[in-house]
Amino acid sequence: MAIVAAGNLSLIHPFQHSSHINPICQPLLHRKITSVRCCSNANNQDNRVQRKEKVVIVGAGIAGLATALSLHRLGLRSLVLEQADSLRTGGTSLTLFKNGWRVLDALGVADDLRKEFIEIHELEIQTDKGKVLKSFQLKGEGKSQEARGVERKALLESLAHSMPEDTISFGSCVKTIEQTKNGQINLLLDDGTQILTKILIGCDGVRSVVARWMGFSEPRYVGYCAYRGLAVYPSGQPFAQKVHYIYGKGIRAGYVPITSTKVYWFVCFNSPSPGPKMTDPTILRKEVSQLVREWPRELIQTIENTPDGAILRTPLVDRWLWPIVSPKSTKGGIALAGDAWHPMTPNLGQGGCCALEDSIILARKLKEALDMDEQNNLNVEEALQSYTNERWSRIFPLAIRANIVGALLQWENELICSVRDNIIIPKVAQLEPFLEHTKYDCGLLYTNP
């Protein structure tokens, strides 16, 4: 038994139709219009656009946008560098539990999302033959529990639209990072732009440039991949407010309604290697349909109702932050958040929630440090170290737990699966221990009344 979540559209460029462009952003506007000339002069130091920012965030995903919004709510400006030309349209849906909703409440975007996405009341587990093993009432685990599937792009839009228009710089890819002798961080973008900053936060996902610069290895493949999709029912989806999990041998699946017309689904399957990257929708649909061809009809129908281009295949990875062994989590005003630092498997539905938690705690500690002494880099470094120390005790055991749960659920042995289906799930399993981590409270954004 586990809680599995997925998984980021286009947004009008932040400088379009704006009559109040911040002067500090004018070089970026000029760069976007004359990108060919700037790129052609990338190796000419005299022609590089130079600018200064107090806080730079790399990556406009969940962690990056939530951190920028948290800082904005505290009165601190940040610049978000996103290498894509718009908010990322990839991804399907993710599950947010009450610890994630606490953060969204603090950021002021939760209520609009609640209006759009269905709250889940029940969880049902069945076999690949359709036999129901057990059902759980989520509200039975405490009326404060809240679980909803949320489209990734809707979450990103809500965060982005709550900030000033000049916060995100699209088409900005970090090429090099270096620390100067005076304690500044010098970023060189691939178009030749140079940015000097005091604080750099890497939120650029599992293939993070910032994490790699800090010495972190690539995330580790865990031995299974996932197909994910978002089915569309124009006349209304037929499912109750319930998560459906289906367990087979070395393969499992699930589906959950997220709106009145959309249903998120996933299929996890064992694979000795991640395999080649595949994006052809015809091939993806054929492969996943073949895996579950004899499974319950409702799952198959959901896959059939998924539009071309809305099916993804991804290898699942994680990173364990071992004490002493792992690289230092901060370095001269540089830190990480979200998947760039602690990618974890989706078996507990906590990847997105933990990224949101990071944003609140990081912004709060930076605000305290900068208020104490804006010119003292030591305060910033101490704040970043305090942030990583606090988050490590949360995310390290959670990443391990998610990994173990996934490994158990990917069992292939027929005898073990029989014990799981006939004894463990129907007679032993309880939901409350699997939701214990959702009780975590990262605190309020503001430290003073």
Side-chain angles (χ1 to χ4, degrees), residues 230-232 281 285 303-311:
L230 200 58
V232 178
R285 186 186 302 277
I303 295 173
E304 291 174 350
N305 279 31
T306 305
D308 286 342
I311 301 177

Side-chain angles (χ1 to χ4, degrees), residues 130-176:
K131 178 184 177 181
V132 175
L133 300 176
K134 197 162 189 175
S135 294
F136 300 92
Q137 296 295 323
L138 285 177
K139 290 297 185 179
E141 303 302 322
K143 293 184 178 180
S144 63
Q145 182 56 255
E146 181 175 9
R148 300 170 194 266
V150 175
E151 277 191 80
R152 186 174 296 271
K153 81 171 189 177
L155 176 57
L156 294 183
E157 283 187 319
S158 293
L159 295 171
H161 292 169
S162 300
M163 293 183 285
E165 292 181 332
D166 60 1
T167 301
I168 308 172
S169 173
F170 293 108
S172 299
C173 181
V174 175
K175 184 178 180 181
T176 62

Side-chain angles (χ1 to χ4, degrees), residues 30-43 190-192:
H30 178 73
R31 175 169 62 82
K32 293 295 287 187
I33 296 174
T34 61
S35 59
V36 174
R37 181 178 62 81
C38 287
C39 287
S40 65
N41 291 325
N43 294 322
D190 65 353
D191 68 353

Side-chain angles (χ1 to χ4, degrees), residues 86-279:
S86 64
L87 285 182
R88 283 172 272 173
T89 59
T92 51
S93 169
L94 68 156
T95 302
L96 295 178
F97 291 89
K98 66 179 180 180
N99 55 317
W101 287 104
R102 285 194 189 103
V103 176
L104 296 180
D105 277 323
L107 295 178
V109 300
D111 286 344
D112 286 342
L113 291 169
R114 286 187 177 104
K115 293 174 183 176
E116 185 174 357
F117 297 101
I118 296 172
E119 183 172 9
I120 302 304
H121 293 162
E122 188 177 353
L123 183 156
E124 181 180 278
I125 302 173
Q126 58 181 294
T127 69
D128 53 0
K129 305 300 182 184
K131 178 184 177 181
V132 175
L133 300 176
K134 197 162 189 175
S135 294
F136 300 92
Q137 296 295 323
L138 285 177
K139 290 297 185 179
E141 303 302 322
K143 293 184 178 180
S144 63
Q145 182 56 255
E146 181 175 9
R148 300 170 194 266
V150 175
E151 277 191 80
R152 186 174 296 271
K153 81 171 189 177
L155 176 57
L156 294 183
E157 283 187 319
S158 293
L159 295 171
H161 292 169
S162 300
M163 293 183 285
E165 292 181 332
D166 60 1
T167 301
I168 308 172
S169 173
F170 293 108
S172 299
C173 181
V174 175
K175 184 178 180 181
T176 62
I177 303 169
E178 63 178 6
Q179 290 178 310
T180 65
K181 293 180 180 179
N182 63 357
Q184 297 270 36
I185 301 157
N186 185 24
L187 301 175
L188 174 63
L189 307 189
D190 65 353
D191 68 353
T193 300
Q194 283 185 318
I195 301 177
L196 284 176
T197 185
K198 182 177 182 179
I199 301 167
L200 175 65
I201 310 299
C203 300
D204 44 339
V206 295
R207 308 301 178 200
S208 169
V209 172
V210 183
R212 187 164 60 248
W213 182 86
M214 294 180 69
F216 285 90
S217 61
E218 291 291 310
R220 181 182 62 92
Y221 174 59
V222 298
Y224 51 95
C225 299
Y227 288 99
R228 297 180 172 104
L230 200 58
V232 178
Y233 293 77
S235 300
Q237 51 86 6
F239 305 113
Q241 295 170 260
K242 180 191 301 185
V243 178
H244 301 258
Y245 290 132
I246 309 170
Y247 295 159
K249 300 177 182 66
I251 180 171
R252 56 192 158 111
Y255 56 97
V256 52
I258 63 170
T259 72
S260 60
T261 59
K262 295 181 180 180
V263 177
Y264 162 70
W265 59 267
F266 69 89
V267 175
C268 291
F269 64 99
N270 290 347
S271 176
S273 68
K277 184 176 181 180
M278 180 61 64
T279 58

Side-chain angles (χ1 to χ4, degrees), residues 72-91:
H72 172 64
R73 298 296 191 212
L74 293 173
L76 295 175
R77 168 182 162 78
S78 65
L79 174 68
V80 180
L81 302 178
E82 170 55 46
Q83 65 178 347
D85 292 330
S86 64
L87 285 182
R88 283 172 272 173
T89 59

